[in-house]
Amino acid sequence: MTSSSDILNARILVVDDRKGNVELLHGMLSSAGYTSIACTMNPREVCDLHRTNRYDLILLDLMMPGMDGFQVMECLREIESEAGYESGFQVQSQGERTALPVLVITAQPQHKERALQAGAKGFITKPFDRLQMLTHIHDVLEIRQLQKQLQKFAVRSEGVPEEKIFPRETGDLFDQLAGNLPQVFWIWDVHDKTFRYINPEWEKMTGQRVGRGDRLETIFEPVHPEDMERVLREAADLPLGGVDHDYRLLLPDMSIRWVHLRTFPIKDSAGVHRIVGVMDDITQRKQADQQLLQVSHYDALTHLPNRVLFYESLRKVIKQSEMNHRIVSVLFLDIDNFKNINDTLGFALGDELLREFSLRLLECLRVTDIVARIGGDEFGCILVSADDLGNAGLVASKIREALRQPFDLQGHQVTVTASIGISVYPIDSVDADTLVKNGDTAMYRSKTAGRDTYRFFTPEMNVRAIEKLDQENALRKALDRDEFVLHYQPKVDLSGGWVTGMEALLRWKRPEHGVVGPLEFIPALEQTGLITQVGAWVIESVCRQIAEWRHAGIGEIPVSVNVSGRQFSRGTLNQDVIRATQANGIQPALLEFELQTERALRENSIDSDLLELELTESSLMTHAKKTVSILQRLKVLGIQISIDDFGTGYSSLSYVKRFPIDVLKIDRSFIQEITTNSADAAITTAIIDMAHSLHVRVVAEGVETAEQFDFLKGRGCDEVQGFYLSPPLPANEISQLLLSGNRRLKPTLCRPNAGESACSS
Ligand code: C2E
Ligand code: MG
Ligand code: MG
């Protein structure tokens, strides 16, 4: 039997790089009565200390600088093998041979599984729970003491004639020791292949009676059928020395217990004559392992494999396919506009949608395919097929088709689409990471192609993806490096040819790329959210420019500025302003744009009606309600509002009534063929008439020829803008232009139909 003084005198080593933890653990242990506690904050000393002191228990932190807990366990394992024992932490010290328990200190559940594999006996979880920790330590030390005593017994009895051991020992010391062990313990005779002893724990665990004289096979009877073959195969090694393995028992009540069996030989002068077996019930640990595996490999919401398992599976599938020359397709899916659903219906229904979506996906695939949730609204599928390249495309179409049916989310009918990217092993890559990356690239290509579609990866996409990344990185620095400039394009009134104002158009002087036009980088500014800062810079620069022209004696020049819808919906206001505005029921993100605009006007003493904001139809229509209220407030400030590129979007004049619009700009695509295409001519004429009936001014964009100019003049269009009159020019050239003449632009500034470059010469 173990005594509590044996336990309290056990040699314990605490290893943690944090002084606070060491002191805390030391304090808890000594206040519980432990007398022999050593501590170190240096993981590198642990093995040397253990060699000298042979601890009974080591409490080991996992995350330590220089050498982590896993490395320490590795080194402890080496000490064991130096001592001649291969498995587990078995320590030999002057005839004693027992398992050195290591309890791992960790706050991270994902480390537990690895720690168990590395040989840890259990865990002390941070933050420390005093009672739980002390109970755990006590139990571990009690087992350790019992093992030590049994060990001594086994050593003492070596070479002693059998009848002198068992008849005498059974019933007294031996029985007390072995009978009180919390593990199954048995002694088996190598020569007559029967049990010499088996403690009552076996019957308690299995309900099966095994006693002296029974054959070894009897304890294998309850082995789970699926583990039977392996267990019997490994048991064949038993007479040679030791087995050390886990397996399942299937008990009469059909419950399953996991056991760990370790055996070791007892030798006399003639060699091995006894085998001692110790069997632990490790069901709880296995269940914990399973739970850990579940947590670390499966997504809690959809129960699908998570990103970790997706990668592991993909690597495995690729390895198998290397051998049997199969094709593996990786499908990367992203739910389109998922954020909107979350924003409008709330997270609970967003989660519900993800669950339902995952079920639909599963329905579209074969049982052998793998579906995983890779991130928020991103899913991945792995399809294996013999040689059918088209399979992935078919599956993608099937998924799109399956999504046509709306989801019923607690009464809300929601239809979603997905953008899908496909990459194929071994065509696009032979390694998992690149396949996933390529699939992701192809998925983004589906998004930019208008969503609700799929794309196979092509190498050209990679070049584009890298370029895009480079561009984004360069854009992040462009504002600080003063690489943006504004060009100004005059607008002219058709009745007299007078300059009525300018449109400010953004240019990016990108090093090594020359002057880059806005169509090439505005989408990236919008996607990255940089448009907020760049847009603010544009408004500020324009206001400064208006002030400069005034100071230069040129006069008050109205300037229109293009505004992206995203500028209304993103904000980086400081917290004080957000709080203050929310208290007044005002949406801060909207307000930021207004504040910036108002500040720019005020600081440059500009009349607000000199500033005009150009918005496209689509940015007016997204978040229309929100936009109306911002525009109304901007109008109150006196700012002019125009609809840009009219005719390319919804082409409905109805919102001219809803929004406080001053100007309508007819898109260049109508003007281009206005003199040759009767439909374009009719539409343009109708737009001009309707706009006038709503008291809205009309500007025609992209006028390139005298014929177009004359046509528009004949139809009563108010203003024109285009290369025919002037290309967009740097501010100083505009200054010269305006200072030189009477501000009447003659249609001779540029050659008709010659494009922007020819115009600026
Ligand atoms: P937009 O607002 O419709 O601007 C007119 C575009 O037509 C300009 O292209 C201008 O250079 C071009 N253009 C003018 N006259 C003619 C012509 O006679 N023929 C032809 N073929 N083109 C003509 P740009 O400067 O490349 O700007 C393209 C678009 O980029 C703009 O279209 C506008 O939507 C956007 N953009 C420009 N600057 C900004 C900005 O500061 N912020 C935002 N959000 N968007 C901007
Ligand atoms: Mg514009
Ligand atoms: Mg336009």
Side-chain angles (χ1 to χ4, degrees):
M1 286 293 286
T2 57
S3 73
S4 63
S5 72
D6 283 345
I7 292 176
L8 292 175
N9 291 332
R11 285 159 296 183
I12 303 176
L13 176 66
V14 177
V15 189
D16 199 312
D17 62 312
R18 286 174 186 236
K19 197 161 172 246
N21 281 350
V22 169
E23 286 172 357
L24 189 66
L25 288 168
H26 188 280
M28 284 183 182
L29 289 168
S30 54
S31 69
Y34 289 95
T35 57
S36 176
I37 313 156
C39 299
T40 176
M41 287 163 59
N42 179 2
R44 294 186 183 282
E45 335 185 294
V46 176
C47 286
D48 283 341
L49 282 172
H50 180 59
R51 257 197 206 96
T52 327
N53 299 305
R54 294 296 173 187
Y55 295 104
D56 294 306
L57 171 65
I58 297 183
L59 307 183
L60 177 66
D61 185 24
L62 273 187
M63 293 297 113
M64 292 177 289
M67 185 176 188
D68 64 22
F70 296 108
Q71 290 168 307
V72 173
M73 283 194 272
E74 188 61 43
C75 146
L76 286 170
R77 192 186 285 279
E78 273 166 29
I79 299 184
E80 309 317 310
S81 56
E82 278 166 24
Y85 299 93
E86 293 98 45
S87 63
F89 291 114
Q90 300 202 340
V91 179
Q92 186 184 39
S93 167
Q94 272 121 37
E96 71 181 43
R97 183 183 353 177
T98 49
L100 162 69
V102 174
L103 293 181
V104 158
I105 305 167
T106 180
Q108 288 162 296
Q110 70 271 28
H111 285 149
K112 291 187 175 177
E113 190 188 344
R114 206 178 134 204
L116 283 179
Q117 283 162 1
K121 259 276 164 219
F123 309 99
I124 291 184
T125 311
K126 285 194 256 189
F128 302 123
D129 175 327
R130 185 175 176 277
L131 199 63
Q132 199 179 37
M133 180 187 94
L134 291 175
T135 315
H136 195 17
I137 289 175
H138 184 276
D139 288 350
V140 166
L141 285 172
E142 188 173 42
I143 293 173
R144 160 90 174 159
Q145 294 302 334
L146 280 165
Q147 284 173 331
K148 271 169 126 179
Q149 288 170 15
L150 273 168
Q151 209 50 66
K152 279 185 191 145
F153 167 79
V155 170
R156 269 210 315 273
S157 51
E158 269 185 46
V160 178
E162 187 180 302
E163 51 290 352
K164 283 202 168 172
I165 302 171
F166 290 111
R168 186 168 52 78
E169 300 282 28
T170 314
D172 54 321
L173 174 65
F174 176 82
D175 225 12
Q176 280 187 48
L177 289 176
N180 280 302
L181 268 182
Q183 298 135 312
V184 175
F185 170 80
W186 47 252
I187 301 170
W188 182 71
D189 189 291
V190 172
H191 302 300
D192 72 5
K193 304 202 180 318
T194 61
F195 285 107
R196 295 284 129 171
Y197 175 79
I198 184 158
N199 72 353
E201 203 56 29
W202 174 258
E203 193 178 334
K204 258 196 245 165
M205 188 199 280
T206 63
Q208 185 197 24
R209 235 170 214 282
V210 178
R212 194 171 175 187
D214 281 330
R215 299 190 66 78
L216 183 66
E217 292 77 43
T218 45
I219 65 154
F220 294 134
E221 277 168 23
V223 172
H224 193 288
E226 286 173 19
D227 295 346
M228 185 65 90
E229 195 198 318
R230 174 174 61 91
V231 170
L232 291 179
R233 192 168 3 100
E234 286 166 356
D237 292 340
L238 218 136
L240 303 173
V243 296
D244 187 342
H245 59 190
D246 296 346
Y247 55 87
R248 286 166 297 174
L249 300 179
L250 182 61
L251 302 180
D253 63 357
M254 298 312 278
S255 64
I256 291 175
R257 313 285 320 158
W258 271 97
V259 292
H260 175 74
L261 174 65
R262 236 174 359 218
T263 68
F264 44 91
I266 296 176
K267 296 177 192 165
D268 60 13
S269 47
V272 176
H273 68 117
R274 297 261 195 283
I275 303 290
V276 170
V278 179
M279 184 188 278
D280 289 276
D281 182 338
I282 55 162
T283 310
Q284 270 184 355
R285 201 185 85 194
K286 280 283 177 187
Q287 281 167 348
D289 286 359
Q290 276 299 320
Q291 275 165 6
L292 280 173
L293 195 74
Q294 184 73 23
V295 170
S296 59
H297 284 78
Y298 289 86
D299 168 46
L301 182 69
T302 59
H303 303 298
L304 290 179
N306 64 9
R307 172 180 282 272
V308 176
L309 187 53
F310 177 78
Y311 270 90
E312 274 177 22
S313 312
L314 183 58
R315 285 196 188 99
K316 240 184 250 166
V317 168
I318 288 177
K319 214 174 205 151
Q320 289 160 359
S321 304
E322 260 167 28
M323 291 182 288
N324 49 24
H325 307 291
R326 280 166 181 264
I327 286 173
V328 182
S329 307
V330 178
L331 263 72
F332 231 79
L333 286 101
D334 187 283
I335 303 179
D336 298 326
N337 302 318
F338 179 72
K339 199 181 162 299
N340 285 354
I341 294 168
N342 247 351
D343 287 350
T344 46
L345 296 179
F347 290 113
L349 289 192
D351 284 354
E352 177 85 23
L353 174 67
L354 290 171
R355 268 192 295 266
E356 294 289 323
F357 182 87
S358 66
L359 293 178
R360 284 249 178 118
L361 269 188
L362 287 168
E363 281 167 17
C364 296
L365 297 163
R366 295 170 305 192
V367 276
T368 48
D369 298 332
I370 295 164
V371 185
R373 179 167 173 226
I374 292 179
D377 60 343
E378 279 183 4
F379 293 80
C381 310
I382 304 171
L383 322 176
V384 183
S385 54
D387 52 5
D388 184 8
L389 249 185
N391 181 38
L394 286 179
V395 171
S397 304
K398 204 166 151 190
I399 294 171
R400 287 184 56 227
E401 210 43 53
L403 292 177
R404 297 281 170 263
Q405 206 53 17
F407 290 95
D408 182 355
L409 307 178
Q410 295 174 18
H412 297 270
Q413 301 293 311
V414 177
T415 308
V416 294
T417 56
S419 298
I420 305 173
I422 304 168
S423 63
V424 180
Y425 163 92
I427 297 166
D428 300 324
S429 174
V430 291
D431 92 286
D433 293 316
T434 317
L435 274 178
V436 170
K437 204 178 90 231
N438 292 349
D440 197 38
T441 305
M443 188 271 287
Y444 272 101
R445 186 48 68 89
S446 300
K447 286 250 183 248
T448 49
R451 301 162 202 260
D452 186 21
T453 185
Y454 69 87
R455 287 283 183 275
F456 277 92
F457 173 78
T458 62
E460 164 268 338
M461 285 182 189
N462 250 346
V463 177
R464 290 278 194 95
I466 291 166
E467 278 172 6
K468 190 168 166 257
L469 208 68
D470 283 349
Q471 194 200 44
E472 278 176 19
N473 288 335
L475 275 174
R476 281 178 214 287
K477 297 174 197 143
L479 205 54
D480 286 342
R481 294 183 179 174
D482 262 340
E483 290 170 7
F484 290 118
V485 283
L486 287 174
H487 282 190
Y488 293 87
Q489 187 177 32
K491 283 178 269 184
V492 166
D493 88 283
L494 269 167
S495 49
W498 298 95
V499 172
T500 53
M502 303 287 159
E503 175 173 7
L505 293 158
L506 190 57
R507 303 286 180 264
W508 176 21
K509 290 191 169 161
R510 185 177 177 190
E512 289 159 39
H513 286 75
V515 179
V516 184
L519 295 177
E520 285 181 53
F521 63 86
I522 295 277
L525 285 180
E526 291 179 336
Q527 268 165 30
T528 51
L530 287 165
I531 193 71
T532 320
Q533 295 149 43
V534 177
W537 176 87
V538 171
I539 290 183
E540 217 178 279
S541 308
V542 162
C543 289
R544 245 183 288 123
Q545 188 59 60
I546 296 175
E548 233 178 275
W549 279 326
R550 187 179 53 209
H551 290 148
I554 293 170
E556 309 273 17
I557 310 287
V559 179
S560 65
V561 170
N562 293 283
V563 176
S564 145
R566 287 291 287 271
Q567 281 169 260
F568 282 176
S569 54
R570 292 182 75 104
T572 48
L573 273 190
N574 76 44
Q575 287 302 315
D576 291 342
V577 179
I578 290 178
R579 241 173 279 128
T581 51
Q582 274 172 345
N584 291 308
I586 300 168
Q587 282 222 29
L590 316 182
L591 200 77
E592 179 172 31
F593 179 80
E594 295 169 42
L595 281 178
Q596 282 165 347
T597 309
E598 204 194 343
R599 194 185 325 121
L601 289 169
R602 188 167 16 90
E603 283 175 0
N604 294 288
S605 311
I606 307 276
D607 283 342
S608 51
D609 61 358
L610 290 179
L611 187 67
E612 179 178 311
L613 302 179
E614 294 190 10
L615 283 115
T616 58
E617 290 175 274
S618 57
S619 52
L620 279 173
M621 291 313 286
T622 5
H623 309 300
K625 220 164 128 193
K626 207 158 82 177
T627 316
V628 175
S629 64
I630 311 169
L631 291 184
Q632 271 161 351
R633 289 203 299 271
L634 289 168
K635 269 236 63 97
V636 171
L637 291 178
I639 290 167
Q640 303 283 295
I641 314 284
S642 67
I643 301 182
D644 201 356
D645 303 345
F646 187 82
T648 54
Y650 301 81
S651 307
S652 154
L653 278 169
S654 69
Y655 51 68
V656 175
K657 286 190 217 154
R658 282 173 58 202
F659 296 101
I661 304 294
D662 302 287
V663 179
L664 199 146
K665 297 185 80 177
I666 304 177
D667 191 66
R668 176 156 55 88
S669 55
F670 292 98
I671 309 302
Q672 245 167 10
E673 295 182 14
I674 205 170
T675 52
T676 51
N677 181 324
S678 57
D680 284 354
I683 292 170
T684 306
T685 309
I687 293 173
I688 294 170
D689 291 346
M690 280 193 285
H692 282 166
S693 70
L694 295 164
H695 309 290
V696 166
R697 278 192 345 262
V698 182
V699 178
E701 296 186 297
V703 176
E704 294 183 349
T705 66
E707 292 76 22
Q708 291 163 353
F709 185 90
D710 292 340
F711 177 93
L712 289 161
K713 194 173 176 180
R715 295 298 188 280
C717 182
D718 302 285
E719 293 167 42
V720 287
Q721 182 185 344
F723 294 165
Y724 180 58
L725 298 146
S726 168
L729 295 170
N732 60 336
E733 289 183 37
I734 291 285
S735 308
Q736 283 166 18
L737 186 83
L738 294 176
L739 282 169
S740 66
N742 56 5
R743 293 215 202 147
R744 226 168 153 169
L745 280 192
K746 305 224 168 54
T748 46
L749 268 170
C750 56
R751 281 171 277 132
N753 295 324
E756 180 171 337
S757 56
C759 292
S760 46
S761 57

